[in-house]
Amino acid sequence: GTVIVFLPLIGQAMNVTSARVGFWFAAFGVAAVIVQLVLGRLSDRIGREPVIAMGLGLIAVALMLLAMTQDWETTISVMALYGIGFGVLFPAMTALLADETDASSRGTASGIYTAVYSLGAAAGTGLAGGLVWLQQSAQIHPFQVAAAIVLLGLAWVCGEWLMHRK
């Protein structure tokens, strides 16, 4: 949700047309689709948690880089990196959901997962006002806050993975 709100604002600050901002979102989408097609079964081979951690790590790096981008070309590359992270993360998350549910509850669990994902995107846009205040008062970029939240998720996934390996 933070990306949805702040990417167009970054484009505006760079004097980038809205059509070119759309290319940033397209770079994300195309990269995510390609990665899902090519690496969608990666978590079947090496495990869910390492792939989830990889996706979260790539997303966190992309968010930190988005906070520093200053031109259209760099931003499109960083959005592609964000898409790669998402493309790695999403299939592993849905596979983990299937692993942790039985056939009779999988549809309900999938619906709840999708609802929570959508709620997160909506909450991110709603919390953007607070992030603007944080940016202005503490000089912390909203993408840095989003990266910190993703890094918390990464720490949790790594902790879970280490606990299950013992």
Side-chain angles (χ1 to χ4, degrees):
T2 304
V3 172
I4 293 167
V5 170
F6 284 100
L7 203 56
L9 296 176
I10 287 171
Q12 187 178 32
M14 289 183 197
N15 290 324
V16 172
T17 66
S18 48
R20 292 190 80 167
V21 170
F23 278 110
W24 291 341
F25 285 104
F28 158 79
V30 169
V33 167
I34 291 170
V35 169
Q36 288 180 56
L37 288 172
V38 174
L39 298 177
R41 299 187 63 90
L42 182 63
S43 70
D44 293 341
R45 292 191 295 274
I46 66 173
R48 309 297 187 224
E49 289 89 353
V51 175
I52 291 169
M54 185 186 333
L56 289 172
L58 289 168
I59 289 170
V61 168
L63 287 166
M64 291 301 286
L65 291 172
L66 277 173
M68 298 181 280
T69 59
Q70 297 183 2
D71 60 60
W72 185 82
E73 294 81 6
T74 304
T75 305
I76 200 165
S77 299
V78 173
M79 283 303 291
L81 177 64
Y82 188 88
I84 291 168
F86 185 88
V88 168
L89 175 68
F90 201 77
M93 289 291 294
T94 54
L96 181 63
L97 177 76
D99 293 346
E100 298 294 325
T101 56
D102 58 37
S104 65
S105 63
R106 198 161 292 136
T108 301
S110 180
I112 292 169
Y113 172 74
T114 302
V116 169
Y117 175 80
S118 297
L119 181 62
T125 58
L127 295 172
L131 293 178
V132 169
W133 172 83
L134 187 62
Q135 180 182 14
Q136 292 170 345
S137 64
Q139 299 302 308
I140 299 172
H141 196 283
F143 290 145
Q144 292 170 320
V145 175
I149 293 168
V150 172
L151 289 172
L152 286 173
L154 175 60
W156 180 76
V157 168
C158 289
E160 287 290 315
W161 181 50
L162 291 173
M163 286 178 46
H164 286 120
R165 289 188 62 164
K166 291 183 179 187

